[in-house]
């Protein structure tokens, strides 16, 4: 979800995006969800029985995905992240990556995955042009993994991480959602992973996007608290640079990898937001915390040309609220959000 690939993407031919809002922000980063289904059932994302997942005819097709990326690139989008649901469940994933990576104007394609299917796919994804990969992993303990994800796939994920490290991605990040009483006692072990592995371990605040609302039950473990734990345990942390969502970035002296903290819930990162979100069924969400949607899929299926699609995209982003708090206030409170989980919004 909350991820960027700024230091993985070649900086040649930078071009200002024409997609702007009323607050002076411009948007060059498209986060595209490919699917709602998933092979895990993380407790902070969805209930055990899953959700009412959208079926294939409702999802964007390969051709529609290619077209939206081309259209967005023509307005100055130069980075794309593919996410979901679990994007590696799409059978056309390699084709989607290849097409995105060869789209004129696109400088970097990234993907967020739970890593379960990565061992088999890492090499082909890299060959297809994927430059950056984020792998989500919240615990290194088998029993806990089963508790958090309700599946027994930890060894698959570990092999997936190794496969990613063996492939030549420009950037690999490990996303760890920090939760009080679930995995806050593993922060130190995760930090040590970055000692000898070329990856960034990112601790992310829990957000209220899960159908079960576990975040209301005392699980929240904030960015400042995470930082305290790091500073308490490690005296050799040096500040480093990272992406715009990474509020604190460190590297242990001599370590191969980096550490970062993402205040995804406290939202002091909105002023630098550069992202456009499109759901797996082709709706633009101009803010993660807003339930307003702008429909590209139905416009495409009704015969809209690229100029009309561009107009929808630019208007949607022009209307972006100043920050996630304003987005929540502006929402029509009488309308229940049809998307209660990150798997439906696109993480
Ligand atoms: N299935 C893929 C995965 O897990 O990496 C991609 C989609 S997932 C929705 C994207 C990211 O959103 C993951 O890193 C996951 O940990 C994060 N996420 C999901 N629900 C969240 C929540 N309630 N709070 C914070 N992060 C969440
Ligand atoms: Fe699946 Fe990712 Fe949600 Fe976990 S966070 S249930 S892996 S979509």
């Amino acid at each position: 979800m909350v991820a960027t690939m700024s230091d993985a993407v070649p900086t040649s031919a930078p071009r200002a995006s024409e997609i702007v809002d009323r607050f002076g922000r411009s948007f060059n980063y498209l986060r595209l969800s490919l699917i709602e289904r998933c092979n895990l059932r993380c407790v902070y994302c969805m209930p055990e029985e899953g959700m009412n997942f959208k079926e294939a005819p409702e999802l964007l097709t390969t051709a529609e995905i290619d077209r939206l990326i081309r259209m967005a690139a023509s307005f100055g989008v130069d980075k794309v992240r593919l996410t979901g649901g679990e994007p590696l469940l799409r059978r056309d994933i390699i084709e989607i990556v290849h097409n995105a990576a060869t789209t004129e104007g696109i400088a970097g394609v990234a993907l967020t995955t739970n890593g379960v299917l990565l061992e088999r796919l890492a090499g082909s994804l890299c060959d297809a042009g994927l430059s950056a990969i984020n792998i989500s992993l919240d615990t290194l303990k088998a029993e806990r993994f089963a508790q958090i994800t309700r599946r027994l796939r930890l060894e698959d994920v570990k092999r997936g991480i190794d496969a990613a490290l063996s492939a030549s991605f420009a950037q690999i990040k490990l996303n760890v959602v920090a939760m009080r009483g679930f995995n806050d006692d593993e922060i130190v072990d995760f930090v040590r992973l970055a000692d000898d592995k070329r990856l960034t371990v990112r601790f992310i605040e829990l957000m209220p996007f899960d159908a079960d609302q576990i975040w209301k039950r005392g699980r929240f473990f904030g960015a400042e608290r995470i930082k305290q734990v790091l500073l308490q345990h490690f005296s050799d942390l040096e500040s480093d640079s990272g992406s715009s969502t990474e509020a604190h970035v460190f590297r242990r002296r001599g370590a191969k990898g980096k550490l970062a903290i993402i205040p995804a819930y406290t939202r002091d990162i909105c002023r630098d937001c550069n992202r456009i979100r499109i759901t797996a069924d082709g709706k633009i969400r101009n803010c993660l915390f807003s339930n307003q949607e702008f429909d590209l899929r139905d416009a495409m299926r009704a015969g809209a040309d690229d100029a009309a699609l561009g107009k929808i995209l630019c208007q949607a982003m022009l209307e972006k609220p100043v920050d996630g708090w304003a987005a929540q206030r502006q929402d029509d409170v009488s309308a229940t959000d049809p998307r209660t989980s990150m798997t439906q919004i696109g993480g």
Side-chain angles (χ1 to χ4, degrees):
M1 51 72 343
V2 276
T4 79
M5 54 193 147
S6 52
D7 38 325
V9 171
T11 49
S12 58
R15 175 188 149 203
S17 172
E18 291 166 38
I19 310 165
V20 293
D21 73 1
R22 300 162 289 161
F23 306 102
R25 293 173 292 201
S26 64
F27 303 94
N28 67 325
Y29 179 16
L30 173 61
R31 293 178 71 94
L32 189 58
S33 176
L34 301 180
I35 190 166
E36 293 188 353
R37 285 184 182 280
C38 188
N39 41 9
L40 298 183
R41 290 285 181 275
C42 302
V43 289
Y44 52 72
C45 184
M46 60 170 114
E48 172 119 52
E49 65 276 14
M51 314 284 300
N52 194 7
F53 298 118
K54 294 205 172 54
E55 297 298 339
E58 295 182 78
L59 303 181
L60 295 173
T61 63
T62 324
E64 287 169 341
I65 289 166
D66 297 349
R67 182 173 172 203
L68 287 184
I69 293 174
R70 263 200 319 277
M71 185 275 291
S74 75
F75 284 88
V77 164
D78 61 0
K79 305 176 197 175
V80 176
R81 175 169 299 276
L82 305 170
T83 181
E86 177 44 44
L88 299 189
L89 287 175
R90 274 218 41 161
R91 260 176 278 172
D92 52 357
I93 186 65
I94 301 296
E95 190 183 350
I96 292 171
V97 167
H98 170 79
N99 294 349
T102 51
T103 297
E104 196 182 330
I106 297 297
V109 182
L111 179 135
T112 303
T113 172
N114 60 30
V116 168
L117 301 174
L118 193 54
E119 183 185 19
R120 187 172 57 81
L121 287 170
S124 324
L125 287 167
C126 198
D127 293 347
L130 192 74
S131 42
I133 191 155
N134 287 6
I135 305 163
S136 307
L137 180 62
D138 306 314
T139 176
L140 300 166
K141 300 181 179 180
E143 237 176 77
R144 237 179 233 184
F145 185 90
Q147 253 184 331
I148 295 178
T149 68
R150 303 182 179 109
R151 297 290 186 271
L152 304 171
R153 309 298 295 266
L154 178 61
E155 290 311 311
D156 295 315
V157 179
K158 286 184 174 169
R159 285 197 299 273
I161 294 171
D162 288 342
L165 285 163
S166 303
S168 38
F169 295 114
Q171 187 178 79
I172 304 171
K173 295 187 178 184
L174 216 61
N175 285 350
V176 184
V177 177
M179 288 168 284
R180 185 181 303 281
F182 254 141
N183 62 357
D184 51 330
D185 60 342
E186 287 190 71
I187 290 178
V188 168
D189 298 335
F190 272 109
V191 168
R192 296 212 166 97
L193 272 189
D195 285 352
D196 57 1
K197 290 190 183 6
R198 190 184 52 84
L199 46 74
T200 302
V201 174
R202 309 183 335 147
F203 299 102
I204 302 174
E205 283 180 348
L206 185 62
M207 291 185 288
F209 302 119
D210 70 284
D212 280 352
Q213 297 285 285
I214 70 148
W215 76 288
K216 284 185 180 161
R217 291 182 232 133
R219 295 298 185 191
F220 185 74
F221 200 76
E224 282 308 315
R225 191 71 197 91
I226 298 166
K227 190 174 158 196
Q228 271 173 14
V229 173
L230 296 190
L231 295 174
Q232 253 165 27
H233 286 86
F234 299 96
S235 56
D236 58 350
L237 294 179
E238 294 170 349
S239 291
D240 210 308
S241 59
S243 72
S244 61
T245 53
E246 295 166 353
H248 308 284
V249 183
F250 302 107
R251 188 190 288 271
R252 288 190 74 192
R253 208 167 302 125
K256 277 194 182 163
K258 295 200 272 186
L259 310 165
I261 302 174
I262 302 189
Y265 179 71
T266 41
R267 284 170 257 190
D268 31 14
I269 45 185
C270 300
R271 83 185 74 86
D272 295 323
C273 186
N274 63 348
R275 52 194 57 189
I276 302 163
R277 286 173 188 277
I278 300 183
T279 63
D281 56 336
K283 322 288 181 223
I284 303 168
R285 285 214 162 189
N286 61 16
C287 172
L288 184 56
F289 289 89
S290 167
N291 65 15
Q292 251 195 312
E293 296 189 344
F294 303 80
D295 198 333
L296 287 169
R297 184 202 66 185
D298 286 357
M300 277 192 286
R301 292 183 184 178
D305 61 13
D306 282 359
L309 295 180
K311 214 165 153 191
I312 296 172
L313 176 60
C314 291
Q315 186 60 35
M317 298 315 294
L318 189 70
E319 290 181 26
K320 182 178 170 74
V322 66
D323 57 27
W325 304 104
Q328 269 180 317
R329 283 195 300 274
Q330 85 170 9
D331 281 352
D332 177 0
V333 283
S334 62
T336 15
D337 191 343
R339 302 177 201 267
T340 50
S341 149
M342 278 293 265
T343 198
Q344 296 167 314
I345 301 167

